[in-house]
Amino acid sequence: MPKVDHSGEDLFNLAIAVVGLVLKSEALSKQQLAAHFRVSERAIERAVMAVSLAEDNRKFHSFFELDWDAWDQGEVSLSARGELTAPPPLSRHQVAALAMALEYLSGLPEYAQNPELQRLREVFQTVPTAQLPSTGNADVNLEVLRTALGQRRVRVRYLNQRGDQTLREIDPLRIDFLADRYYLRGWCHTHLEVRNFRIDRMAEIELLSTEIAPEAIAARIDEEMFAASGDSFEVSLETNDWAREIFWNFPVSEPPSQMSSGRWRGSIKIGNVAALGRHVARYGGAVTVLGPAQAKQAVAEFAQRALAKESHE
Amino acid sequence: MKQSKEERLLALTCALLAAPSFGLTKQQLFESVKGYREGGAPASLDKMFERDKAELRASGVAIETIGSPDSPTDPTDSRYRVSRASFEWPKEFLLTPGQLRLLDIAARAWSARSMSAPAAQALFRLRSLGLIDTEADSGVFSPHVIATDPSFEPLAEAIAELAQVCFSYQKPGAKPSLRTVQPWRLRQLQGQWVLLGLDSDAGAPRNFLLRRITSPISVEDNHFQAPTTDEIGSAERELEQYAAENRARLLLVPDSEAAWHFGAGAGGEITISYMDAELLAERLREFGRGVRVLEPAELSDLVAAGLERVLEQHAQG
C-alpha cells in the first residue's frame, strides 16, 4: 500500500489514533508509528505536532505533553493531562462500514471457515447473513488455483465467451471477486499479456511443475478489471434504470446519460460482437442495442437460437 | 500563530473528550478552544461551531447535544459531549495480526467512497489499540465490494442513523408502490444488494432488491429503535428457508457453458434453489441454448418471454 500524506480530515483522524496508541505504550519511534499506520513519517510528525499544540485555553494548559528530548531522538512520547485518556470510540458509520465488509467476506468460500473472521464478527455483533446456495463449479476450481497462485503454471481447458474451447497455459497471479463472480487474473501464454479468466468457465485445471515466468511476476495487473483492450468495437445502448448496471461491466466509451425518466443511453466497447448477445439478452428486453446493425443482429441471433431450443421440446 | 482548522478540530475533540459526563456548554467550548477565541463576531463564531460539529460528526466523532432541563429548546443552554454509546472495542480484546489483516482487506474492499472513508477512519482508530505486527499482505486474493445502486448510499446512512425511509418499489410485472421502511441492514445475496427492513404496511420484515427501487430514497425525520440481533437473525433464516423451497429443475446441454457453470451430473439434469425467479431467469438467458428449464413453468415462461422481447427489439427489417 502506498504511503500517502494525509489531507486535513485524515490528519485529524491520524492524530487521535496516534494519541490513543502512544498513551497506551512506552515511547514509540516515528518510524514504528509510520509503519503501523501505513503513512509517511512526515504525516506522523504533522499529527504529533497538531496533538501537542491542542490546548485548553480555559484552563491554560495543553491536553498532552510531548517529551521534546525524546522527540529529538526520533521518539514519540506523550502524556495526558487531566481526564483525557482514550480516543473517541468508533461511530455507527464506521462500525457499519467495517461490519458490512466483514459480513461480505464471510460469505466467500475463501473466508467462510476463518476463525479470526468469526471472532471479529462476534465483536462487531454482526448477525450471519442468509446463506443462499451457490450455483456453479467455481468453488472446486478455486482450490487448485489457490495452491498455484504466484508459484506455478497451470494448464486449463477454457471456454471463452463465444463458446469456443481452448487449452491455455496461464501463470496465475491473483483472484478477484466481483459482484458474484470469481476471476483469475493471470499471464496468458497464448497472448503474452495479463488476461482475465472467469473461473466458472474453467475445467480440468492441471498444475504444472513449471514455475511462473519472470514476465508474469513483473506484469502489472490493472485495477480496472474491464479496461478496454486494443481491438474494440463500439456499441450504443439504451437501458431502463436497473439494467443500467450493464455499463459497469464493460469499458465505457460514452457514459450513460438520462434521456427521459427511467431511460438511459450510452456506449460501451466490446472485444467481439459475437459475444454481445448473451450480455444483452439476459436483461430480457431492458437493454436495447441502438447500433451498429451488426451488433443488433448478433443479439437477435442469440435470442433466436435460445428460443429455438425452448420450442423444439 | 493562528490555529489551523485541523488544530481547532483536534482541540475541540480533546475538550469534548475531557469534558465531565454532563458535557460543556458552547460558551465553555468557545473559551477552551483557541481557534474560537480568535474567531471574531458571535454570529460567525456560531456558524464556525456548527460547521465544526458537522465535520466532526462526519469523521466519526459522535457529538451529543444535551438540552438544558430549564429551557430544553434554547440552544444557548445546550451542553455538548462525545457519545460513549456508539461502539467501544472490548477492553480485554487485542487484535491479532491476522484479524488486522482481515479488517484491512474488508476496509479496502469498498469501492464506494461513502463506505471506504469511514472504514479507513475506523482502521486508524483500531490500530490505536496497540502496536501489532501486520502480516505481510500476500495480495493474491482481492475482493471488491461494488455498490453502484444510487440508493445504496442513502440507505447505508439511514441504517446508521436509524432513520425511517420511504421509496417507490417496483416488482417485475407490477406497478410501483410506495413503501415506508425501517432499514435494518444491507447485504449482498447472490450478487445483488438486498435491503432488509421492517415494512410498515406489512408490519413485518421484508427484503428489497436495490435495483427495484425506482425513486430517490426519502429519509424521514422519524427515528426507530435498533432491531435486536434475534429479529435480524430470524428474518435471515426465513429468507434461507424461502430460497430453499424455491426449486428449479434444469436440463443442461453436455459440455456447454451452462454444464460447466452448474457442474451438471449424469443426464445433464440438476436441481437448484433460488431467491427470486426473475433474477434466475436473467442468469439462465445468458446461457442461451445451453440450458432448458424443466420446472417450474413460471420460470421457463419468464426466460422465454424475455428472449422474445429481445428478439422483437433487435429484429431488423
Side-chain angles (χ1 to χ4, degrees):
Chain A
M1 194 189 231
K3 291 181 174 179
V4 285
D5 263 324
H6 285 264
S7 63
E9 185 194 322
D10 280 359
L11 175 77
F12 168 80
N13 277 292
L14 180 61
I16 51 181
V18 168
V19 170
L21 179 59
V22 172
L23 286 181
K24 271 200 218 66
S25 331
E26 296 292 305
L28 295 167
S29 72
K30 291 176 200 171
Q31 212 175 5
Q32 272 175 307
L33 287 167
H36 182 63
F37 288 104
R38 297 187 169 189
V39 295
S40 64
E41 281 183 45
R42 174 85 192 102
I44 293 291
E45 282 171 7
R46 286 175 54 208
V48 173
M49 280 302 117
V51 168
S52 70
L53 289 172
E55 57 186 358
D56 188 339
N57 270 0
R58 204 160 48 100
K59 297 178 183 164
F60 305 105
H61 67 58
S62 57
F63 290 105
F64 304 96
E65 196 174 4
L66 179 69
D67 182 337
W68 287 99
D69 291 338
W71 177 255
D72 289 339
Q73 308 295 316
E75 293 206 329
V76 181
S77 173
L78 285 169
S79 48
R81 291 215 177 89
E83 311 90 309
L84 187 63
T85 52
L90 300 186
S91 72
R92 286 183 62 89
H93 279 280
Q94 292 171 342
V95 173
L98 281 182
M100 277 169 77
L102 288 174
E103 203 43 38
Y104 176 82
L105 293 187
S106 72
L108 309 180
E110 183 77 21
Y111 298 107
Q113 303 302 323
N114 188 319
E116 305 255 54
L117 181 58
Q118 296 315 320
R119 181 73 184 105
L120 283 174
R121 290 166 78 201
E122 282 164 29
V123 170
F124 280 99
Q125 298 180 327
T126 62
V127 182
T129 302
Q131 290 293 304
L132 301 186
S134 79
T135 58
N137 64 359
D139 296 3
V140 187
N141 286 339
L142 273 178
E143 286 298 322
V144 188
L145 288 176
R146 209 172 291 144
T147 54
L149 275 179
Q151 312 277 337
R152 304 253 299 273
R153 189 174 299 178
V154 292
R155 184 185 294 136
V156 300
R157 197 147 67 88
Y158 188 70
L159 197 65
N160 70 14
Q161 51 179 346
R162 278 170 286 168
D164 308 326
Q165 285 189 28
T166 53
L167 207 59
R168 305 275 189 108
E169 288 195 6
I170 305 166
D171 288 345
L173 297 172
R174 195 169 98 182
I175 294 173
D176 276 24
F177 186 75
L178 204 70
D180 59 344
R181 282 185 186 136
Y182 285 96
Y183 295 83
L184 173 67
R185 324 283 304 266
W187 182 266
C188 174
H189 284 272
T190 310
H191 296 99
L192 297 177
E193 62 179 4
V194 174
R195 290 260 169 142
N196 308 326
F197 303 91
R198 283 258 304 262
I199 291 181
D200 66 337
R201 292 203 193 123
M202 292 180 176
E204 293 162 22
I205 305 177
E206 191 189 341
L207 192 61
L208 305 177
S209 55
T210 324
E211 285 185 13
I212 70 168
E215 58 267 37
I217 296 170
R220 203 177 72 87
I221 303 180
D222 224 321
E223 273 313 309
E224 193 66 52
M225 171 116 57
F226 303 108
S229 60
D231 52 342
S232 61
F233 194 91
E234 194 170 305
V235 176
S236 73
L237 303 173
E238 180 168 329
T239 78
N240 69 3
D241 276 325
W242 58 263
R244 192 159 45 111
E245 68 181 30
I246 193 171
F247 288 104
W248 320 137
N249 296 334
F250 292 92
V252 173
S253 51
E254 184 200 327
S257 60
Q258 196 159 19
M259 296 289 109
S260 57
S261 169
R263 301 306 298 171
W264 299 81
R265 277 187 191 187
S267 300
I268 57 168
K269 281 185 180 167
I270 56 166
N272 184 298
V273 79
L276 184 67
R278 54 183 302 134
H279 295 293
V280 172
R282 69 168 291 171
Y283 292 104
V287 174
T288 319
V289 174
L290 301 174
Q294 186 182 358
K296 288 186 79 161
Q297 191 186 340
V299 174
E301 279 170 7
F302 179 89
Q304 193 146 38
R305 279 199 306 272
L307 278 166
K309 149 270 315 192
E310 293 282 340
S311 56
H312 280 167
E313 301 300 326
Chain B
M1 195 172 67
K2 203 165 171 352
Q3 204 171 25
S4 75
K5 190 181 88 183
E6 295 96 76
E7 287 165 348
R8 185 175 75 238
L9 289 177
L10 195 63
L12 176 59
T13 308
C14 291
L16 286 164
L17 282 169
S21 60
F22 49 85
L24 290 173
T25 64
K26 186 155 66 177
Q27 202 48 47
Q28 285 169 321
L29 287 169
F30 283 175
E31 286 165 17
S32 292
V33 178
K34 186 168 158 231
Y36 295 126
R37 292 174 73 128
E38 299 161 339
S44 66
L45 216 53
D46 278 345
K47 268 192 202 150
M48 191 194 249
F49 181 61
E50 290 306 315
R51 275 200 305 270
D52 288 353
K53 271 194 304 179
E55 207 155 317
L56 286 183
R57 284 192 180 121
S59 67
V61 179
I63 300 176
E64 265 182 351
T65 310
I66 317 162
S68 149
D70 303 326
S71 47
T73 52
D74 181 359
T76 53
D77 279 350
S78 296
R79 307 180 77 86
Y80 301 91
R81 66 177 181 196
V82 172
S83 162
R84 291 273 158 200
S86 36
F87 173 87
E88 293 206 54
W89 200 255
K91 289 249 170 346
E92 76 290 359
F93 188 79
L94 279 177
L95 279 173
T96 65
Q99 286 164 343
L100 190 59
R101 192 176 63 89
L102 283 168
L103 286 166
D104 207 43
I105 292 172
R108 277 189 287 142
W110 281 113
S111 64
R113 163 122 186 108
S114 62
M115 299 306 274
S116 65
Q121 289 162 2
L123 261 195
F124 265 160
R125 287 195 199 164
L126 293 179
R127 281 179 191 275
S128 78
L129 289 169
L131 198 61
I132 41 180
D133 296 326
T134 313
E135 279 178 1
D137 184 2
S138 55
V140 289
F141 183 75
S142 164
H144 302 267
V145 195
I146 301 209
T148 46
D149 299 84
S151 52
F152 180 88
E153 203 175 309
L155 285 173
E157 201 146 306
I159 290 169
E161 304 287 340
L162 299 170
Q164 186 168 287
V165 293
C166 189
F167 52 80
S168 160
Y169 191 72
Q170 186 168 25
K171 285 189 177 179
K175 287 199 164 151
S177 64
L178 207 60
R179 307 295 188 96
T180 304
V181 177
Q182 295 181 358
W184 287 358
R185 75 188 314 196
L186 280 165
R187 68 269 201 249
Q188 212 173 46
L189 297 168
Q190 297 184 329
Q192 292 289 328
W193 281 106
V194 185
L195 169 72
L196 173 65
L198 188 77
D199 183 308
S200 69
D201 292 327
R206 290 283 183 269
N207 286 291
F208 302 92
L209 283 161
L210 262 53
R211 58 142 67 174
R212 292 186 184 153
I213 293 176
T214 55
S215 69
I217 303 292
S218 130
V219 182
E220 302 184 343
D221 237 354
N222 203 344
H223 292 259
F224 60 91
Q225 206 165 17
T228 65
T229 51
D230 283 352
E231 283 174 310
I232 296 179
S234 81
E236 293 285 14
R237 302 295 82 77
E238 231 171 84
L239 177 63
E240 272 173 13
Q241 205 170 354
Y242 171 79
E245 284 163 9
N246 273 337
R247 294 168 82 76
R249 215 151 56 79
L250 309 176
L251 185 65
L252 310 169
V253 172
D255 224 24
S256 68
E257 185 192 344
W260 284 35
H261 176 85
F262 290 106
E269 204 183 299
I270 57 153
T271 302
I272 59 166
S273 308
Y274 59 96
M275 165 174 76
D276 182 276
E278 187 67 54
L279 289 178
L280 179 60
E282 243 176 58
R283 241 191 144 114
L284 296 180
R285 281 184 210 119
E286 210 180 317
F287 293 113
R289 54 183 165 177
V291 61
R292 193 159 66 84
V293 180
L294 299 174
E295 57 180 18
E298 174 215 10
L299 180 63
S300 133
D301 292 348
L302 276 177
V303 173
L307 289 169
E308 272 157 18
R309 279 193 299 273
V310 172
L311 184 57
E312 200 177 303
Q313 286 167 357
H314 295 86
Q316 293 171 95

